[in-house]
Amino acid sequence: MAQTPQNEAPDSLLITPVAPIANSTHGGRAKCLQRLVRLDLPVPRTVALSFQAVHGIAQGEMPDMAAIVEAFPADALLCVRPSSQDPDWGGPGAILNIGMNDARYVDLCDSLGRDGAAALYLRFVQSYAVHVARLDPDVFDDVEDGGPDALSEVLHAYEAETDEPFPQNPAEQLAAVLRSMARAWEGTSARLLRQAKGAPADAGLGLVVQEMVPGFGQGECGSGVLQLVNTKTGQPQITGRYLSQSQGRDALGAGAEALFLEQDPRGPSLEDSAPEAFADLKSHARLMRQRLREEMQVEFVIVSGAVHILDGVRVTRSAQAAVRIAVALAEDGIIPRAEAIMRVDAHILTELLHRQVAPDATRDVIGHGIAASPGAATGRLVFTAAEAQASAARGEPCILVRRETSPEDVRGMHAAVGVLTERGGITSHAAVIGRGLGLPCIVGASNLKFHSKRKQLVATDGRVLTRGDTITIDGSSGEVLAGQPEMLEAAEDGAFQTLLTWADEVRDIGIRANADTPEDAETARKFNAQGIGLCRTEHMFFDPGRLTVMREMIFAETSEGRAAVLARLLPMQQEDFFALFRIMEGLPVCIRLFDPPLHEFLPTSKSGQRELSEALGIPVSDVTRRVEEMEEYNPMLGLRGVRLGVTVPEIYDMQARAIFEATLDASKEGEPVVPEIMIPLVSAKREVELVKARIDAVALAVKAERGEDFAYRLGVMVETPRAALRAGEISPHTAFLSFGTNDLTQMTYGMSRDDAGRFMSAYVNQGVFPEDPFHVLDTDGVGELLKLGVQRGRAENPDITLSICGEHGGNPESIAFCREAGFDYVSCSPFRVPVARLAAAQLAISSQTGKSPRESLKS
Ligand code: PEP
Ligand code: MG
């Protein structure tokens, strides 16, 4: 092979079991072929060119071509394929049948027949013309496909366009192919494309030159691909494509035509026509699975009944198949469990929990927004909660479209199959509720025009969709689609459960769920959350029948009026907490005292105001006046959270009583309950002291009244920057600190979580933020506050439990930060719990191996 100066890798290497070939120097395909050679599989002779050599070729420095050509028999036809470090980064398409020329054509006429030889030559000339000589494919438009003179017409057209006859010298052809592939890789568009898939700017390309096996002879001849599993489900199933020469086409160039091995309606299957070859193929595929430790698709050629393996490629797979394949490899003892855990991208688990738009479905995109709650749903457009309920009553799935949602819309959200809002960000009302319900949701779709009054939605391309039209929202990608594309059903199967059980065995950070209702709690339990990390008690009043009571409480002007409403609220809350404690029996439940941002609870619609006027027995005009009085300029920074608890303490008293009564009741029926009570939106130590004193007093009163004892833990939610900075003086008063990173992000950036959707994509596109900080934790800024909070809090109270309960808790990148920062657990929406469990396990494993989950996925 090529002579090389000392200390430099050879330009080209014949692939042998001992040749110094590595993924990082010659690419994944070259390395895989070497593995196949080492397994003694019948692989045709192959030469690998290194990244360095291919880079040189692009710069005009050709390797020793004679040495490459000499590695093959004189009359061999060759093919060249790309070999990038990561197959996902792509590469130029393979070029086959290099070496075809007039002389070879004449030879092949004897073995293949004139038509077969002509078809082969013709295809090579065309592919060379387009990919190497860069001619416009149109130049062959006049050639009659399959006509008797097609070959000479193509050769003529080539010559007419290039002013040169078609090159006849195989070495010259090969050099030109290598040059064109090397340059294609270094072109700007190819570089941008692969960088978008995560490739570094200087990612190298290797090339493999392989002798083509002539797919003709006596007996069974043909080519195809075979794999041992189903690509969609990952279930064992021999599947593939096979083109037999006897089916009338030349069989050089594997994979040209799709025919199912076992279900070919047009002829006998390979199993019938060549059982031995079929058996060999299966055993080769099994050997590859065993030794390459991966499900591989085998690319093969059969000549006179004998199998040749051209290549092995990692089987492409759906999310469901990825999980099943990894688990099966571990169960068969081929890879350790830890490796199976590392092989599944945690983000894709979400796809298994929800219906998705099928990957190959046609998407008629009419707009997009922020992908706020994953999964896809198709339904008719409705523009109000009432319409959504009516639609559900008729049994017609609907998509609820709102400018933004408020508690008044929650009944509509329950009735709809998906929600689309014009405004909002990843932590806005619609997004949080959507995720909680497992309801596909897109928010901040500001490139669509919402005409709520006219009940119309105007697409980016001007199309007008009206109430009743069918749309699909893809809450995983943020795309809004017209019509109804094909869907893929949710698929949390046994393999999914097994993988998560293995993950739980290795992870070292706790995972709880944010759950507000018994249904959420059931979901949390089903996904094996280790407790509830955040129960937003005001969300318990989103239920239509209860919303009015909550409003009555907010509206009460006199203490008698308030006491009356609280007396009605007490049994409701007690019942709620009892249900949560029972469902979560044996696991901790953290209940956050009311934190109703007033704008989310004031009745804005006329009907809401009417309902409230009836409930309060006052004129609508009074309600309207009170709403105006109570309106705040910045409700997210207004009378919320503990500020309500300090100014109207009876409310928290009622909640504490309900929690304690439910604690005693639930403890009678099952394991003793130790409730966790959390104070929201704290910014000063004194707030904690005031609330704590009253809650302790309520606890004493309940204990005395009932003559029973119980324990409870009081904690503080750190979601204002000041609380993080002053964590040292707050922590001695509390058993735990839970960081609410939604508000903390909002306040650290001074950026409204409900309005950020309007400018977020512009900010991310222009690189102001690397990602939406409401989605992926800003480890630099917000993260610094978290770290300060952790250090200062722990320094003054070493036994304190630390957690995070903002939406970031379900994001793998943010979990990595929390683990590093020493948090005890993260809490996230129930449907994100599986992702969090897997991501946490991957982090624990990678802290031992030193390899990040991403690197492990690629290796
Ligand atoms: C938070 O602010 O992070 C949080 C969990 O609370 P909420 O989203 O209810 O404001
Ligand atoms: Mg908050």
Side-chain angles (χ1 to χ4, degrees):
M1 286 268 72
Q3 295 299 305
T4 34
Q6 267 187 340
N7 300 330
E8 267 184 44
D11 282 338
S12 58
L13 283 170
L14 182 67
I15 298 187
T16 62
V18 293
I21 288 175
N23 235 7
S24 56
T25 53
H26 292 78
R29 173 167 270 133
K31 187 67 211 171
C32 176
L33 284 166
Q34 183 180 47
R35 291 193 174 126
L36 302 186
V37 169
R38 284 182 183 156
L39 293 177
D40 231 2
L41 291 174
V43 178
R45 279 174 89 74
T46 310
V47 167
L49 275 77
S50 66
F51 296 167
Q52 197 184 337
V54 175
H55 181 63
I57 293 172
Q59 309 300 314
E61 296 156 26
M62 291 309 286
D64 183 347
M65 291 304 297
I68 298 176
V69 172
E70 273 163 25
F72 300 100
D75 61 351
L77 294 185
L78 305 176
C79 71
V80 182
R81 295 164 200 267
S83 177
S84 54
Q85 194 166 345
D86 179 334
D88 288 351
W89 299 345
I95 296 191
L96 314 178
N97 300 316
I98 301 158
M100 253 334 265
N101 54 19
D102 295 349
R104 210 59 193 100
Y105 164 68
V106 172
D107 289 349
L108 283 174
C109 283
D110 291 341
S111 43
L112 265 185
R114 191 170 170 276
D115 288 352
L120 195 65
Y121 194 6
L122 183 140
R123 279 217 299 281
F124 175 53
V125 177
Q126 284 186 325
S127 123
Y128 189 95
V130 173
H131 300 293
V132 181
R134 308 259 167 226
L135 301 189
D136 195 320
D138 297 357
V139 300
F140 302 115
D141 274 0
D142 295 337
V143 176
E144 193 197 335
D145 221 10
D149 298 323
L151 176 60
S152 61
E153 284 169 24
V154 160
L155 286 167
H156 186 74
Y158 181 93
E159 189 165 346
E161 276 302 310
T162 59
D163 287 337
E164 284 170 12
F166 187 73
Q168 296 292 305
N169 180 338
E172 193 189 318
Q173 292 175 353
L174 179 61
V177 167
L178 296 179
R179 221 171 3 245
S180 82
M181 290 174 79
R183 289 192 179 151
W185 178 256
E186 308 228 335
T188 312
S189 46
R191 185 165 40 76
L192 289 177
L193 262 177
R194 63 178 176 267
Q195 278 180 276
K197 292 178 188 159
D202 60 350
L205 175 74
L207 290 171
V208 294
V209 184
Q210 192 175 60
E211 178 181 359
M212 293 188 68
V213 184
F216 51 85
Q218 303 299 313
E220 182 61 40
C221 295
S223 61
V225 293
L226 172 140
Q227 64 189 47
L228 301 173
V229 291
N230 180 301
T231 297
K232 277 194 179 150
T233 64
Q235 293 277 11
Q237 183 190 8
I238 295 173
T239 142
R241 306 185 300 264
Y242 179 65
L243 176 68
S244 166
Q245 191 197 350
S246 63
Q247 279 158 313
R249 310 246 174 88
D250 77 89
L252 287 175
E257 191 79 4
L259 295 180
F260 277 91
L261 282 166
E262 294 184 306
Q263 298 142 18
D264 173 13
R266 290 184 272 178
S269 70
L270 177 64
E271 189 171 15
D272 294 335
S273 59
E276 279 174 27
F278 186 65
D280 282 353
L281 263 174
K282 281 196 295 188
S283 89
H284 293 335
R286 287 191 186 116
L287 181 67
M288 281 163 71
R289 176 177 189 264
Q290 184 78 31
R291 303 290 289 279
L292 271 58
R293 307 164 71 250
E294 181 52 290
E295 281 298 347
M296 302 296 286
Q297 186 182 64
V298 188
E299 193 178 321
F300 63 90
V301 170
I302 296 177
V303 184
S304 306
V307 171
H308 300 262
I309 306 286
L310 305 184
D311 203 358
V313 182
R314 189 175 170 273
V315 165
T316 54
R317 57 201 72 185
S318 67
Q320 184 190 7
V323 173
R324 180 169 282 279
I325 288 171
V327 168
L329 286 170
E331 282 178 336
D332 293 347
I334 295 172
I335 59 173
R337 285 180 179 184
E339 197 170 332
I341 290 170
M342 296 304 275
R343 283 196 185 186
V344 177
D345 183 347
H347 299 85
I348 66 164
L349 286 195
T350 327
E351 292 175 29
L352 302 184
L353 302 173
H354 308 277
R355 291 181 91 205
Q356 300 287 330
V357 176
D360 41 7
T362 316
R363 288 171 170 254
D364 182 3
V365 180
I366 54 170
H368 63 264
I370 295 173
S373 176
T378 301
R380 291 179 186 278
L381 277 177
V382 295
F383 289 82
T384 64
E387 283 169 11
Q389 286 177 294
S391 179
R394 291 194 301 274
E396 275 177 18
C398 65
I399 304 285
L400 176 62
V401 176
R402 302 289 291 154
R403 200 164 288 275
E404 61 199 331
T405 62
S406 67
E408 284 162 345
D409 295 309
V410 172
R411 62 185 101 179
M413 294 179 78
H414 272 284
V417 294
V419 177
L420 170 66
T421 69
E422 181 183 13
R423 297 195 187 140
I426 197 84
T427 62
S428 62
H429 181 268
V432 172
I433 302 295
R435 280 194 295 276
L437 296 175
L439 190 69
C441 176
I442 296 176
V443 298
S446 48
N447 71 344
L448 282 163
K449 284 206 186 74
F450 288 61
H451 294 302
S452 308
K453 287 225 172 72
R454 272 186 265 153
K455 313 244 183 236
Q456 282 180 343
L457 198 61
V458 183
T460 36
D461 61 7
R463 263 184 285 174
V464 179
L465 293 120
T466 316
R467 183 173 64 168
D469 287 350
T470 298
I471 68 161
T472 296
I473 60 164
D474 182 347
S476 305
S477 71
E479 282 179 348
V480 184
L481 314 170
Q484 178 165 24
E486 199 194 323
M487 295 279 192
L488 210 61
E489 292 306 321
E492 353 147 9
D493 53 15
F496 175 90
Q497 304 298 354
T498 306
L499 189 73
L500 288 177
T501 309
W502 294 347
D504 289 344
E505 284 162 15
V506 294
R507 73 182 156 80
D508 50 14
I509 183 165
I511 312 285
R512 293 200 200 174
N514 294 351
D516 312 323
T517 59
E519 297 84 68
D520 292 349
E522 300 279 9
T523 314
R525 245 279 53 144
K526 174 175 137 200
F527 292 140
N528 278 341
Q530 290 164 289
I532 293 179
L534 171 65
C535 166
R536 294 172 162 110
T537 45
E538 66 283 357
H539 286 201
M540 294 171 150
F541 291 84
F542 283 169
D543 188 71
R546 289 179 161 205
L547 186 57
T548 314
V549 191
M550 182 73 169
R551 285 177 172 158
E552 282 181 54
M553 182 192 77
I554 294 173
F555 264 60
E557 280 177 293
T558 61
S559 60
E560 301 80 57
R562 185 167 304 113
V565 187
L566 290 175
R568 279 161 61 209
L569 279 171
L570 179 71
M572 292 181 189
Q573 287 268 270
Q574 196 171 327
E575 209 178 289
D576 291 336
F577 300 139
F578 177 79
L580 290 188
F581 293 148
R582 291 299 299 132
I583 294 167
M584 300 305 292
E585 186 179 357
L587 297 174
V589 175
C590 178
I591 295 167
R592 180 179 77 182
L593 300 172
F594 276 141
D595 174 18
L598 284 186
H599 71 305
E600 284 189 8
F601 283 90
L602 292 180
T604 45
S605 70
K606 285 267 171 291
S607 63
Q609 295 187 354
R610 226 180 358 261
E611 268 175 40
L612 190 58
S613 82
E614 278 161 20
L616 294 174
I618 55 173
V620 181
S621 57
D622 279 8
V623 171
T624 315
R625 180 185 49 79
R626 281 284 283 152
V627 167
E628 279 165 9
E629 269 169 25
M630 296 187 79
E631 251 166 26
E632 295 175 314
Y633 285 108
N634 285 313
M636 289 302 256
L637 304 178
L639 185 62
R640 287 179 63 185
V642 69
R643 295 165 198 169
L644 190 70
V646 169
T647 52
V648 195
E650 309 93 284
I651 299 177
Y652 281 7
D653 288 352
M654 177 279 292
Q655 288 200 292
R657 175 170 282 275
I659 293 170
F660 296 139
E661 302 264 10
T663 295
L664 290 173
D665 294 345
S667 301
K668 279 206 187 82
E669 294 189 14
E671 284 188 42
V673 176
V674 180
E676 296 180 354
I677 301 179
M678 182 152 76
I679 314 172
L681 218 77
V682 165
S683 57
K685 176 184 77 164
R686 184 76 187 132
E687 290 166 329
V688 183
E689 288 172 347
L690 287 173
V691 174
K692 185 173 187 306
R694 290 193 70 118
I695 291 180
D696 286 344
V698 174
L700 283 177
V702 173
K703 284 178 190 177
E705 286 160 26
R706 304 258 308 229
E708 291 168 81
D709 200 14
F710 56 84
Y712 70 98
R713 303 178 77 217
L714 187 76
V716 163
M717 209 166 161
V718 179
E719 47 185 347
T720 65
R722 193 175 191 283
L725 295 169
R726 306 304 296 165
E729 61 180 9
I730 292 173
S731 69
H733 301 276
T734 63
F736 60 91
L737 293 179
S738 186
F739 290 77
T741 45
N742 302 334
D743 274 308
L744 194 57
T745 300
Q746 165 166 266
M747 295 191 209
T748 305
Y749 278 86
M751 182 166 72
S752 157
R753 52 198 266 197
D754 295 304
D755 301 309
R758 283 204 187 168
F759 51 84
M760 191 56 76
S761 51
Y763 258 54
V764 172
N765 289 342
Q766 293 182 48
V768 184
F769 303 152
E771 312 241 17
D772 178 348
F774 288 110
H775 183 54
V776 179
L777 188 71
D778 159 44
T779 49
D780 299 337
V782 179
E784 189 162 351
L785 278 171
L786 292 179
K787 281 190 200 152
L788 276 178
V790 166
Q791 280 161 12
R792 293 179 182 178
R794 219 171 232 155
E796 300 305 320
N797 179 356
D799 296 331
I800 200 157
T801 304
L802 298 169
S803 63
I804 167 177
C805 62
E807 293 302 310
H808 302 94
N811 175 272
E813 289 76 19
S814 312
I815 297 172
F817 174 88
C818 295
R819 197 178 157 270
E820 287 279 303
F823 283 85
D824 297 290
Y825 70 86
V826 299
S827 188
C828 55
S829 304
F831 282 94
R832 300 178 88 185
V833 165
V835 175
R837 286 163 67 197
L838 183 61
Q842 292 179 338
L843 291 163
I845 295 170
S846 61
S847 70
Q848 283 161 14
T849 61
K851 258 190 183 177
S852 76
R854 291 258 152 212
E855 283 167 336
S856 304
L857 274 173
K858 300 281 178 201
S859 61

